[in-house]
């Protein structure tokens, strides 16, 4: 697949996946009593409200990892801040897993009505419209599974660190917070550059992808 062709398929997936991820963070926080996401204009699927230029570029380059602008939230509005933060954090990766399942279902419907086997579509060229649509949804499944598992890593500022803080006793918070700021992001970039990051989440992505498609 040519780079330009893949980018044309990748960009709409990127816009939807990152926007829904951040929207769900804001929506759950809003439903838990926090007006901040709404007042900051983040309860929208408009990609312009969510996209981070660097995070989007990283996703385009890696086809696996990326991020959007974090939705501003205020846990003080929650009845139970620790539980609330955990639910808000789960909502983002949850939206990506939902999209992966939805896109996989659509891809299987395409295969079913095209009167061709899954293997035939994967092995053939991508010249006709049916095959192009299949490749688009196949790519969407991979990206959303990757985003979902990536964000579940327990490294700040990823969602997984906040989920872990909601599970562990409060006395462990200080250890997780030590990675906040530039340290966590530097660690993630280092893991991505060395290939360790994909070695961690790759088997999970491939396993679930194999089940879905």
């Amino acid at each position: 697949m040519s780079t330009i062709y893949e980018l044309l398929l990748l960009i709409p997936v990127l816009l939807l996946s990152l926007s829904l991820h951040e929207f769900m963070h804001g929506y759950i926080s809003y439903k838990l009593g926090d007006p901040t996401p709404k007042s900051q204009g983040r309860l929208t699927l408009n990609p312009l409200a969510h996209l981070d230029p660097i995070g989007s570029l990283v996703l385009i380059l890696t086809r696996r990892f990326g991020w959007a602008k974090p939705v501003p939230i205020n846990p003080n509005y929650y009845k139970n801040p620790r539980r609330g933060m955990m639910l808000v954090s789960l909502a983002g990766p949850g939206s990506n897993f939902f999209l992966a399942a939805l896109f996989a279902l659509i891809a299987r419907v395409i295969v079913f009505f095209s009167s061709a086997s899954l293997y035939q579509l994967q092995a053939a060229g991508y010249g006709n419209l049916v095959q192009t649509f299949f490749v688009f949804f196949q790519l969407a499944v991979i990206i959303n599974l990757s985003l979902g598992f990536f964000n579940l890593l327990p490294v700040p500022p990823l969602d997984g660190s906040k989920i872990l803080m909601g599970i562990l006793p409060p006395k462990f918070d200080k250890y997780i917070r030590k990675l906040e700021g530039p340290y966590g992001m530097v660690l993630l970039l280092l893991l991505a550059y060395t290939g360790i990051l994909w070695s961690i989440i790759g088997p999970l992505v491939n396993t679930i992808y194999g089940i879905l498609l």
Side-chain angles (χ1 to χ4, degrees):
M1 191 190 308
S2 70
T3 301
I4 295 178
Y5 179 70
E6 188 172 356
L7 284 176
L8 290 175
L9 298 180
L10 177 66
I11 289 174
V13 175
L14 180 154
L15 294 176
L16 175 61
S17 303
L18 292 180
S19 297
L20 183 61
H21 180 109
E22 295 303 327
F23 168 81
M24 288 305 299
H25 281 318
Y27 178 75
I28 297 301
S29 187
Y30 177 73
K31 295 299 287 185
L32 290 174
D34 177 17
T36 310
K38 185 175 182 179
S39 66
Q40 295 296 315
R42 300 299 296 274
L43 292 187
T44 175
L45 290 176
N46 183 353
L48 296 178
H50 301 294
L51 293 187
D52 177 272
I54 296 177
S56 300
L57 179 61
V58 170
L59 181 54
I60 289 175
L61 293 176
T62 63
R63 274 70 162 178
R64 296 291 187 273
F65 320 116
W67 59 87
K69 291 187 295 186
V71 173
I73 60 173
N74 187 346
N76 292 325
Y77 285 102
Y78 308 153
K79 292 181 179 179
N80 184 331
R82 293 181 68 83
R83 178 177 176 274
M85 278 298 299
M86 185 170 62
L87 293 175
V88 169
S89 300
L90 279 168
S95 71
N96 293 124
F97 293 133
F98 168 78
L99 284 178
L102 178 63
F103 288 138
L105 176 62
I106 296 174
R108 284 194 169 274
V109 170
I110 291 174
V111 171
F112 179 80
F113 284 104
S114 69
S115 299
S117 71
L118 190 60
Y119 171 78
Q120 288 172 319
L121 280 176
Q122 290 176 320
Y126 304 130
N128 65 50
L129 186 61
V130 172
Q131 291 164 345
T132 298
F133 273 120
F134 177 80
V135 173
F136 170 81
F137 291 116
Q138 183 185 45
L139 182 63
V141 171
I142 294 173
I143 288 176
N144 276 281
L145 288 176
S146 300
L147 284 173
F149 285 117
F150 171 66
N151 277 282
L152 285 178
L153 292 175
V155 179
L158 299 180
D159 299 322
S161 64
K162 301 175 183 65
I163 296 170
L164 185 62
M165 289 173 67
I167 296 174
L168 296 177
K171 65 180 181 180
F172 291 100
D173 290 2
K174 60 182 179 181
Y175 301 108
I176 299 175
R177 289 203 171 100
K178 285 183 178 180
L179 289 175
E180 289 182 344
Y183 302 109
M185 188 56 67
V186 169
L187 175 60
L188 288 171
L189 291 175
L190 181 62
L191 291 175
Y193 179 76
T194 58
I196 297 175
L197 186 55
W198 183 246
S199 70
I200 295 172
I201 72 171
L204 295 171
V205 172
N206 292 334
T207 297
I208 303 303
Y209 175 83
I211 294 172
L212 293 176
L213 286 174

